[in-house]
Amino acid sequence: MDLRRRQLLACLATAPWAARAQTPSADEEWLDTVRGRRFPVRVRWPATPGPWPLLLFSHGLGGTVEAGTAWAQAWAQAGFAVLHLQHPGSDGPAVRAALSRGLGSVANYDQLVQRAYDVRFALDEVARRRAAGMPGWQDLRTDAIGMSGHSFGAHTTLAVAGQLYPHDLADPRPTAFMAFSPTLPGDPDPRRALSAVTRPMLGLTGSLDGDVVGNGATPERRAAVFDALPAGAKAMLLLKDADHMTFGGQPGRSLPFRRRENATRELEARHTELIARVTTDWWRARLLDDAVARQRLTAPAGLAPRDRWVSG
């Protein structure tokens, strides 16, 4: 292990959000009998007494329930239950199987539809377990639900929030959203495509957050999501020298075909701590009506001179 990696791991281990990093979690496999679709989930329970708001996290292309771990640990420490979804057809096993024929078979509209239906089924299943009085599940607040995701999971999040598609993919139950590495819709009029995304939405991206699957995403197109959203309860965090994997919630992980810049790796511990803190405040402000968290979000602490926070 090289010196830089040892320093990164040491910083992550001592970051404030990692103070109780081993939050209780359990892995399960859920079955949607209507679609005949099985998919893994990981639920992370808070250590504090309930009732708890519920946060969902959707991984990027080729991901698993490990995606978003750094964020989920911070959120669980702050009193949120977190449900990681793994989407068959665009998860790690599917991508490995598709490498010989190209990623178009796993990064497409049909897979997006299935992902959105996974979210719908998961919320139905949570409601069923809560109504049945199952331990833990009975303590969830169904009036305080957040939906989030990275990359393809950001597309999923925007779809669930109301982005316009031929299928109706929106779900009314989440009350706030978070899109890590979003990108503008391919629609000729992005504002029209996002016109129904009126519930609170936080986007996160960086100056090196470019195209990783050949879909034309650029840092500028990712940042432009903020301007395309309707005015109101929206915000965007843009970090200088942060790349696509900065926002995946798995510090130290990189894409096998993408070399990370030295500045990105050197800043990863600071970026991880900052993202964990700002996103936790976003959930606290939007789902718990926490006035202190809301005040902190007017000017988040710890931004470097060329980082940006925009809202409203």
Side-chain angles (χ1 to χ4, degrees), residues 154-169:
H155 286 289
T156 307
T157 298
L158 285 163
V160 172
Q163 182 174 333
L164 300 179
Y165 284 104
H167 293 75
D168 180 10
L169 303 181

Side-chain angles (χ1 to χ4, degrees), residues 12-26:
L12 295 175
T14 57
W17 55 267
R20 286 169 26 222
Q22 298 304 315
T23 48
S25 65

